[in-house]
Amino acid sequence: ESPASANKNNTGTTLTITAPANIDVGDFLVAVIARGDTAGDITPATDWTQLDEQDCNNPAGTDNACRWAIFYKVAAGNEDSTGQAFGTGSADEAAGTILVYTGVDLVTPFDGGTNPNTGNSVPAVAQTITTTVANTRVLRFFAAGGATVTVGTPTNGNGTPQSVRAT
């Protein structure tokens, strides 16, 4: 995968991410967006489909709310020259990334779906996921409300985590 990322601070209600270069027709794109509050829905860019959207856990007695969403699409081949504009539903800080995958089964691209874990542990702890299809890629990300919203993306293939951050 080849990530591209963007972030915005407390202005406007749109997060525009310029997709990575060299996207080919039929590549599978995944966008992960996180926002620093829970007011309003995160909406997809043109031709994207929403997989899931949730509020992050808000520990009792805190104002550290956030919201995240995952979108996907099959590339038409013109995305790498176009900014993908996602609605954030709020003027609060937001961050997002677009991942590009090749060789994905476009009929059934997801092995199961989402498995949100809305705990409030530090560090974040992901639930166990059991796949049923060989060579399945597991996408995990974490978002936290408060002063910083972080969207984590898969490693770059050699174990190095990649992430984007809005503060």
Side-chain angles (χ1 to χ4, degrees):
E1 71 277 350
S2 304
S5 62
N7 65 67
K8 74 174 190 73
N9 290 318
N10 303 323
T11 59
T13 58
T14 302
L15 176 67
T16 301
I17 305 171
T18 300
N22 303 318
I23 294 174
D24 293 323
V25 173
D27 285 350
F28 191 73
L29 309 180
V30 176
V32 180
I33 311 292
R35 186 192 64 228
D37 68 24
T38 58
D41 291 334
I42 300 171
T43 55
T46 302
D47 297 327
W48 289 77
T49 301
Q50 185 177 67
L51 178 63
D52 201 354
E53 180 177 13
Q54 305 254 343
D55 286 341
C56 304
N57 188 40
N58 186 9
T62 68
D63 188 26
N64 294 334
C66 66
R67 189 161 185 84
W68 59 263
I70 301 171
F71 303 96
Y72 67 93
K73 73 177 283 188
V74 176
N78 61 352
E79 292 82 5
D80 57 351
S81 61
T82 308
Q84 305 296 303
F86 295 87
T88 61
S90 166
D92 212 337
E93 68 275 353
T97 190
I98 295 175
L99 303 170
V100 180
Y101 295 95
T102 59
V104 173
D105 177 351
L106 300 178
V107 175
T108 312
F110 298 103
D111 181 9
T114 62
N115 188 16
N117 177 8
T118 57
N120 58 7
S121 60
V122 176
V125 177
Q127 296 177 358
T128 299
I129 295 176
T130 303
T131 61
T132 60
V133 177
N135 301 313
T136 297
R137 167 90 47 169
V138 175
L139 171 65
R140 295 182 188 243
F141 78 94
F142 304 93
T148 301
V149 174
T150 300
V151 181
T153 60
T155 64
N156 64 7
N158 66 6
T160 305
Q162 299 171 344
S163 65
V164 295
R165 178 177 298 229
T167 56

